[in-house]
């Protein structure tokens, strides 16, 4: 107790005398904690919004979803529930083409058909307000008031409600006509709020809403139509949720119906948020680790500056444990203060993130400081600071009291004893284990944390080695004597006591992440837009009948601007039933393999081998197929997941037809990207005779002719669905841009932490730099010359950090794209150049700002103090 009281008083006394020294300690911890608290806090705000508006986001108490029409068993069960006072609404969602009947312009839309009374909870708000026929009022979300413009009831016959972006795309206004399938609709209003459309920005097109009765007249629900069917339920008795849910699950088991209730509204959004939060938390931890390096550096320098005080305390009887406790208390107090500052910064980040990610989710957020998140940030900051100061604090044991009486001796760094090496290795192991456990806690998965720390440790070793090598190379650079500023600036990089390697490491980590994410994002988009083989289709039309597919080919062959026109491919949809006579339960499959049994596949048949494919096992069929046999070609990934070999028997249940059993005669892999043309199962001719099928038509169209071609297709095939690859890429690019922006934003804290280490390094060597500046001036150098010398030093550090980070990020992008994703990688010089130049500019700017008082030092004043 006496030791603790002494340590507490001594710690406070020293902290009062050196407040400015601890600024970098506070900033290093605050930056890392800020990113973590900002990400975790934003996730907590969204989760709170989802819970608060659970019924509104589902528009019901319970929902049943399926991607095929409901069967008789499920409909009968719903009829029974209606007799128990449970209200039921049928909602159908599909993608279709919306056409301006005047200009013939068209666009892909997300069509939603509703029944009278939608929604049960929340509000469908339109502009103008009276777009719906009045019915019994719907139920507002608990604790909310009905908004102005909210309408209830049903959509009048022949009327469509649309998103505002549809009007912009097709040049229409409210009151104009819109063609869906074979029917014309009057645009009755603009949808300004739709309660159960949270992930609106992930959609492929604008929203269009009509009644269920009108949907049946459009011709869009014919053979091969793809639609998601949902049944919304409003329960009079909330205590029977589990019983009703169990009954619905069993009733819709044949359709693989997914039943959810308001307690888990928007589970896909929750999964996205949880995974994104776990990933961003780990990214933010990188900045915390970089900040930890800064903490270790500040603590090491501070301990060196306090060698006299430590020696004196030992001379008057203080033990190693008591002296260590003094500085441990300082570390803990500073860590708490830095974490508190980081929590405050993190709250500010929470105010920024909704503007970036919020539009993707379309949820009204209430941003606040969560006590749980704040406590988590405090604990993580505290633990990180302690772990990174273990080795500097352990060095107190090696300080000898005799140092006080040997002031005339130069401070020589002796070799560490074997015992010291063993102690440092042990402390490094403890720190690594602690950081891995923190990462596991943040990610929510034990294995993720250790994989993350293992990969990061390898990256740090690689960066440290590259930084040390770069410094050695700088040392060997010999410039002519006339380049005085450049020669002296380069010499400063590798002079004794320089922390160049640590600075390059800290900055290089941030550059690697930010630039790496950019290169990956651009590489993925390039793979689709630039690296596709010549003639790759960019326009796809689905849902054609056999007669329409022939008409499609005839019409487009005569159309200018069509560069290539492959033969339309038949599509038959089916689900896996068994492999070699064994059902899913009897097979030994991975989790992914079991999920494949729940998918509905697009299968086709062909006499010739698909383009851009390569046979890896077996051979493609030629000539006639033996009587009574049915053959199938399987894509390599599907074969690996399902453990299929040559000779395996695959049994599939085809929609609208009898089960089909076929023998695997070859396994192929796709060699080039062909959007829309990949089929996991390609049957031999005759294998799917009698199975209903639609046709997929593809074309390669010049950009200048794209609009005319789409008008022709929309007018001749109004019930077909047309997809322009360029439109899809625009949507995907927009989503990727936002996600990448958030990752770069969080990763930017690593660069900021690196700049703090740079500034800390400059301040810690302030006395030496002041002497250097004074000597330069005494020898005749102007202030401009001194500025140039320091600027050259900082520019070299920034250039090395930028080059090291760029090389590693380019290599990582190549490995991920080429080796992991198996797509081609094309080097882009512009983002790499911008990253390197940006790093140099930031490093010079921060370095010069940190050296302003050094540059202003007067030679006479400093020399008098010598």
């Amino acid at each position: 107790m006496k030791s603790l009281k002494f340590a507490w008083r001594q710690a406070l006394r020293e902290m009062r005398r050196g407040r400015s020294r601890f600024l970098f300690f506070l900033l290093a911890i605050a930056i890392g904690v800020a990113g973590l608290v900002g990400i975790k806090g934003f996730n907590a705000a969204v989760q709170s919004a989802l819970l608060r508006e659970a019924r509104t986001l589902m528009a019901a108490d319970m929902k049943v979803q399926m991607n095929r029409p409901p069967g008789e068993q499920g409909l009968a069960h719903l009829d029974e529930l209606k007799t128990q006072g449970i209200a039921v609404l049928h909602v159908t969602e599909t993608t279709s083409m919306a056409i301006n009947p005047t200009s013939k312009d068209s666009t892909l839309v997300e069509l939603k058909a509703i029944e009278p009374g939608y929604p049960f909870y929340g509000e469908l708000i339109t502009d103008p307000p009276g777009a719906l026929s009045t019915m019994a009022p719907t139920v507002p979300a608990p604790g909310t008031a009905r908004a102005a413009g909210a309408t209830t009831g049903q959509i009048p016959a022949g009327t469509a409600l649309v998103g505002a972006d549809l009007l912009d795309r097709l040049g229409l206004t409210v009151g104009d006509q819109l063609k869906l399938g074979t029917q014309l609709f009057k645009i009755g209003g603009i949808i300004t709020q739709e309660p159960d459309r949270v992930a609106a920005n992930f959609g492929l097109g604008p929203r269009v809403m009509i009644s269920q009765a009108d949907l049946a007249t459009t011709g869009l629900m014919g053979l091969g139509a793809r639609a998601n069917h949902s049944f919304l339920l409003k329960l009079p008795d909330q205590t029977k949720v589990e019983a009703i849910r169990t009954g619905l699950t069993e009733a819709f088991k044949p359709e693989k119906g997914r039943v959810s209730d308001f307690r888990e509204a928007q589970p896909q959004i929750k999964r996205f948020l949880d995974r994104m939060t776990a990933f961003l938390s780990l990214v933010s931890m990188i900045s915390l680790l970089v900040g930890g390096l800064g903490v270790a550096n500040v603590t090491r320098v501070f301990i060196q500056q306090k060698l006299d005080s430590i020696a004196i305390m030992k001379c008057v009887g203080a033990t190693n444990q008591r002296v260590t406790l003094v500085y441990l208390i300082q570390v803990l107090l500073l860590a708490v203060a830095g974490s508190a500052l980081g929590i405050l910064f993190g709250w500010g980040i929470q105010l920024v993130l909704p503007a970036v990610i919020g539009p993707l989710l379309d949820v009204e957020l209430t941003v606040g400081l969560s006590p749980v998140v704040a406590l988590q940030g405090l604990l993580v900051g505290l633990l990180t600071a302690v772990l990174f100061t273990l080795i500097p604090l352990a060095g107190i044991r090696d300080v000898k009291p005799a140092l006080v009486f040997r002031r005339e001796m130069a401070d020589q760094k002796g070799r560490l004893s074997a015992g010291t090496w063993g102690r440092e290795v042990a402390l490094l192991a403890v720190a690594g284990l602690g950081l891995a456990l923190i990462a596991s806690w943040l990610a929510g998965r034990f294995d993720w944390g250790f994989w993350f720390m293992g990969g990061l440790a390898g990256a740090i070793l690689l960066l440290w080695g590259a930084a040390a090598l770069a410094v050695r190379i700088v040392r060997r650079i010999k410039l002519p004597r006339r380049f005085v500023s450049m020669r002296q600036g380069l010499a400063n990089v590798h002079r004794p006591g320089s922390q160049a390697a640590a600075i390059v490491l800290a900055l290089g980590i941030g550059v690697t992440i930010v630039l790496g994410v950019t290169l990956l994002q651009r590489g993925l988009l390039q793979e689709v837009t630039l690296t596709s083989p010549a003639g790759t289709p960019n326009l796809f039309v689905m849902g054609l009948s056999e007669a329409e597919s022939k008409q499609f080919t005839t019409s487009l062959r005569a159309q200018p601007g069509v560069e290539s026109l492959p033969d339309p491919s038949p599509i038959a949809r089916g689900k896996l039933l068994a492999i070699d006579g064994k059902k899913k339960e009897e097979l030994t499959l991975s989790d992914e393999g079991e999920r494949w049994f729940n998918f509905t596949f697009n299968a086709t048949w062909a006499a010739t081998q698909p383009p851009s494919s390569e046979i890896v096992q077996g051979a493609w069929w030629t000539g006639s197929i033996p009587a009574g046999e049915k053959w199938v070609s399987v894509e390599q990934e599907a074969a690996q997941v399902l453990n299929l070999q040559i000779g395996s028997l695959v049994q599939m249940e085809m929609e609208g037809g009898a089960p089909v059993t076929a023998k695997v005669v070859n396994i192929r892999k796709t060699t080039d990207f062909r959007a829309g043309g990949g089929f996991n199962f390609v049957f031999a001719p005759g294998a799917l005779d009698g199975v209903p099928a639609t046709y997929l038509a593809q074309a390669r169209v010049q950009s200048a002719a794209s609009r005319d071609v789409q008008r022709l297709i929309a007018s001749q095939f109004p019930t077909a669905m047309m997809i322009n690859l360029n439109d899809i890429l625009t949507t995907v690019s927009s989503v990727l841009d936002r996600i990448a922006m958030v990752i770069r934003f969080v990763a930017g804290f690593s660069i900021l932490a690196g700049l703090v280490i740079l500034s800390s390094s400059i301040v810690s060597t302030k006395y030496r730099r002041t002497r250097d500046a004074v000597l330069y001036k005494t020898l005749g150098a102007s202030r401009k010359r001194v500025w140039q010398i320091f600027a050259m030093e900082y520019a070299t550090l920034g250039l090395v950090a930028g080059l090291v980070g760029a090389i590693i990020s380019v290599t990582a992008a190549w490995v991920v794209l080429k080796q992991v994703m198996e797509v081609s990688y094309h080097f882009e010089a512009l983002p790499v150049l911008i990253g390197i130049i940006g790093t140099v500019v930031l490093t010079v700017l921060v370095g010069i700002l940190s050296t302003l008082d050094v540059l202003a030092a007067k030679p006479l004043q400093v020399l008098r103090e010598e």
Side-chain angles (χ1 to χ4, degrees):
M1 187 66 184
K2 184 179 296 184
S3 297
L4 181 61
K5 191 173 182 180
F6 164 79
W8 178 262
R9 288 202 308 267
Q10 186 66 22
L12 293 180
R13 185 179 299 116
E14 289 197 4
M15 290 183 71
R16 283 195 296 268
R17 291 201 303 265
R19 294 176 185 174
S20 59
R21 299 174 183 174
F22 303 119
L23 175 63
F24 297 107
F25 191 113
L26 294 176
L27 288 178
I29 289 294
I31 289 171
V33 172
L36 175 64
V37 171
I39 294 300
K40 290 285 188 181
F42 177 77
N43 179 59
V46 176
Q47 298 284 9
S48 175
L50 292 177
L51 182 62
R52 183 180 65 249
E53 303 177 22
R55 286 185 172 88
T56 299
L57 296 175
M58 184 174 279
D61 292 314
M62 190 171 292
K63 178 188 286 188
V64 187
Q65 296 172 283
M66 64 209 77
N67 58 9
R68 58 171 65 181
E72 294 183 2
Q73 177 180 319
L75 293 175
H77 185 74
L78 290 175
D79 289 337
E80 182 182 345
L81 291 178
K82 291 177 183 178
T83 63
Q84 301 174 21
I86 297 175
V88 180
L89 289 177
H90 182 197
V91 175
T92 304
E93 294 183 81
T94 186
T95 50
S96 177
M97 298 304 299
I99 305 169
N100 182 333
T102 303
S103 67
K104 305 302 180 183
D105 288 337
S106 62
T107 188
L108 188 68
V109 298
E110 292 193 329
L111 181 63
K112 183 173 186 176
I114 63 174
E115 288 188 322
Y118 168 90
F120 286 132
Y121 296 97
E123 300 163 338
L124 177 61
I125 302 179
T126 64
D127 181 20
L132 299 186
S133 300
T134 303
M135 287 184 59
T138 57
V139 184
T144 63
R146 185 170 303 282
T151 52
T152 63
Q154 60 185 344
I155 300 178
T159 299
L161 305 178
V162 302
D165 46 350
L166 175 71
L167 302 182
D168 295 334
R169 291 191 188 188
L170 297 183
L172 297 170
T173 60
V174 174
D176 290 343
Q177 287 192 320
L178 178 73
K179 189 174 184 181
L180 299 169
T182 59
Q183 295 296 314
L184 291 174
F185 290 82
K186 177 184 176 182
I187 299 177
I190 299 172
I191 302 171
T192 59
Q193 179 176 306
E194 181 182 348
D196 54 344
R197 196 187 189 198
V198 176
N201 284 272
F202 289 106
L204 295 178
R207 168 66 84 205
V208 175
M209 192 178 294
I210 61 176
S211 69
Q212 279 283 359
D214 281 340
L215 177 63
T217 68
T218 60
L220 297 174
M221 292 292 102
L223 176 65
R226 299 185 179 189
N228 291 319
H229 296 268
S230 301
F231 289 95
L232 308 181
L233 285 77
K234 183 173 183 296
L235 311 181
D237 187 354
Q238 301 294 329
T239 63
K240 298 181 179 180
V241 171
E242 286 302 327
I244 295 173
R245 179 170 181 158
T246 301
L248 287 169
T249 302
E250 185 64 28
F252 287 97
K253 192 173 183 179
E255 296 85 10
K256 305 291 183 182
R258 300 179 300 279
V259 183
S260 56
D261 59 61
F262 65 91
R263 296 170 299 180
E264 52 177 338
Q266 301 298 335
Q268 70 276 19
I269 298 299
K270 287 186 177 181
R271 284 194 297 271
F272 167 77
L273 278 172
D274 289 341
R275 292 173 182 174
M276 190 73 175
T277 300
F279 174 74
L280 291 177
S281 296
L282 292 177
V283 173
S284 66
M285 188 176 174
I286 294 176
S287 62
L288 189 61
L289 294 180
V290 175
L293 294 175
V295 165
N297 182 58
V298 170
T299 305
R300 180 182 60 81
V301 173
F302 179 67
I303 294 296
Q304 287 180 346
Q305 294 173 347
K306 288 295 182 180
L307 289 179
D308 291 348
S309 299
I310 294 171
I312 291 173
M313 282 190 284
K314 288 187 176 183
C315 283
V316 297
T319 62
N320 284 321
Q321 291 79 5
R322 181 175 291 187
V323 177
T324 302
L325 186 59
V326 171
Y327 295 100
L328 178 60
I329 290 175
Q330 291 186 18
V331 167
L332 293 175
L333 290 174
L334 290 171
V336 170
S339 299
L341 185 61
I343 291 171
L344 184 62
F345 289 163
W347 179 73
I349 293 173
Q350 291 182 46
L351 300 177
V352 176
L353 285 179
V356 181
I357 305 182
L360 293 177
L361 305 176
D362 197 23
V363 178
E364 185 177 349
L365 300 178
T366 302
V367 178
L369 189 59
S370 167
V372 175
V373 173
L375 179 61
Q376 190 177 36
L378 179 64
L379 291 176
V380 170
L382 193 62
L383 291 172
T384 302
V386 171
L387 290 173
F388 272 96
T389 53
L390 285 177
I391 292 178
L393 290 178
I396 293 175
R397 180 181 295 272
D398 301 325
V399 177
K400 305 301 181 183
L403 179 68
V404 176
F405 307 107
R406 296 178 180 177
R407 299 293 293 177
E408 74 280 6
M409 293 181 63
D411 183 19
Q412 299 292 333
K413 183 178 180 181
R415 292 183 177 273
L416 292 172
S417 64
T420 304
W421 275 113
R423 183 186 67 201
E424 291 200 359
V425 170
L427 290 175
L428 280 173
V430 171
L433 178 61
L435 293 172
L437 291 174
I438 292 174
S440 300
W441 181 34
L442 295 179
R445 286 188 54 173
F446 187 79
D447 54 339
W448 283 13
F450 279 82
W451 278 110
F452 169 77
M453 284 305 303
L456 186 60
I460 288 176
L461 288 175
L462 183 62
L463 278 165
W464 188 275
L469 177 62
V471 172
R472 291 177 67 89
I473 293 174
V474 169
R475 179 180 298 173
R476 294 179 179 274
I477 296 177
K478 303 298 182 181
L479 295 176
R481 293 185 178 276
R482 63 178 179 274
F483 298 110
V484 178
S485 300
M486 296 179 67
R487 280 173 57 90
Q488 194 58 47
L490 291 177
N492 286 350
V493 172
H494 55 78
R495 66 183 172 184
S498 171
Q499 301 173 28
I503 294 170
V504 170
L505 170 65
L507 290 173
I509 290 177
V511 174
T512 299
I513 300 172
V514 174
L515 187 56
V517 169
T518 301
L519 293 177
L520 279 175
Q521 177 197 7
R522 295 174 69 90
L524 287 173
L525 291 176
Q526 273 190 342
E527 174 63 19
V528 178
T529 57
L530 300 179
T531 65
S532 299
T536 298
N538 57 8
L539 189 65
F540 306 91
V541 181
M542 294 175 281
L544 298 172
S545 66
E546 184 175 4
E548 288 176 328
S549 69
K550 296 177 181 178
Q551 181 186 350
F552 177 89
T553 302
T554 302
S555 297
L556 260 68
R557 278 178 180 165
Q559 186 70 14
V562 178
E563 295 180 345
S564 65
L565 187 64
D567 292 334
S569 302
I571 298 178
R573 305 183 72 196
K575 295 177 69 70
L576 280 171
L577 290 180
I579 296 175
D580 292 327
K582 297 180 180 180
K583 295 184 178 180
K584 178 178 68 173
E585 297 77 13
E586 304 173 272
L587 295 169
T588 303
L589 298 171
S590 63
D591 292 341
E592 184 180 1
E594 291 183 359
R595 286 195 293 269
W596 277 57
F597 272 82
N598 299 326
F599 295 160
T600 298
F601 294 99
N602 286 331
T604 188
W605 63 85
T608 58
Q609 184 177 332
S612 301
S613 66
E614 176 184 319
I615 303 298
V616 294
Q617 292 184 44
W620 192 261
W621 46 78
T622 56
S624 60
I625 309 298
E629 288 198 19
K630 296 181 178 182
W631 291 353
V632 65
S633 170
V634 183
E635 203 277 329
Q636 187 178 34
E637 181 184 357
Q640 291 173 347
V641 171
L642 298 171
N643 298 326
L644 295 175
Q645 307 294 332
I646 301 298
S648 297
L649 296 178
V650 177
Q651 185 179 17
M652 298 184 70
E653 177 189 13
M654 310 306 297
E655 288 187 3
V660 174
T661 301
K663 182 173 68 174
V664 177
V665 296
N666 68 70
I667 296 174
R668 71 190 191 283
K669 71 175 182 180
T670 303
T671 56
D672 287 314
F673 177 77
R674 292 272 178 177
F679 292 93
N680 290 300
F681 299 94
V682 178
F683 288 84
L688 297 182
D689 285 350
V691 174
T694 59
Y695 283 76
L696 166 67
Q698 309 173 57
R700 177 74 181 184
V701 182
Q702 295 175 356
S703 299
S706 179
R707 189 171 184 178
D708 292 336
V709 172
Q710 290 187 70
R711 287 175 175 173
L712 173 68
I713 295 172
S715 62
Q716 292 190 5
F717 311 101
T719 61
M721 182 172 67
M722 179 168 46
I723 297 178
N724 187 323
L725 186 59
N726 293 330
D727 293 340
I728 302 300
L729 287 178
T730 300
T731 302
V732 172
S733 178
S734 175
V735 174
L736 286 179
D737 281 344
R738 288 185 179 274
I739 294 176
M741 185 188 303
V742 176
I743 296 175
R744 287 193 292 265
F745 175 76
V746 177
F749 283 86
S750 301
I751 296 180
L752 187 58
L755 294 174
V756 169
I757 292 179
L758 168 65
S759 185
S760 170
S761 173
I762 293 172
V763 172
S764 66
T765 58
K766 180 179 178 180
Y767 176 70
R768 179 182 297 170
R769 290 180 180 276
T770 303
R771 287 187 62 194
D772 290 347
V774 166
L775 288 176
Y776 295 149
K777 293 178 180 179
T778 302
L779 294 174
S782 63
R783 177 178 293 190
K784 180 181 178 181
R785 174 75 71 181
V786 177
W787 183 92
Q788 290 174 344
I789 292 173
F790 285 131
M792 184 63 193
E793 176 187 353
Y794 306 141
T796 303
L797 290 174
L799 180 62
V800 172
L803 285 173
V804 170
I807 291 171
I808 295 178
S809 61
V810 169
T811 304
W814 178 84
V815 170
V816 172
L817 292 173
K818 187 75 175 179
Q819 305 300 323
V820 178
M821 297 185 176
E822 297 183 352
V823 299
S824 57
Y825 173 69
H826 297 267
F827 175 75
E828 282 193 278
L830 183 59
V832 174
L833 188 61
I834 291 175
I836 294 173
I837 294 176
T839 307
V840 172
V841 171
L842 277 176
T843 306
V844 172
L845 181 62
V846 172
I848 292 298
L849 290 176
S850 303
T851 323
L852 287 178
D853 54 345
V854 173
L855 295 173
K858 303 295 182 182
L860 185 60
Q861 178 183 356
V862 175
L863 293 174
R864 282 173 176 173
E865 294 175 357
E866 289 291 324

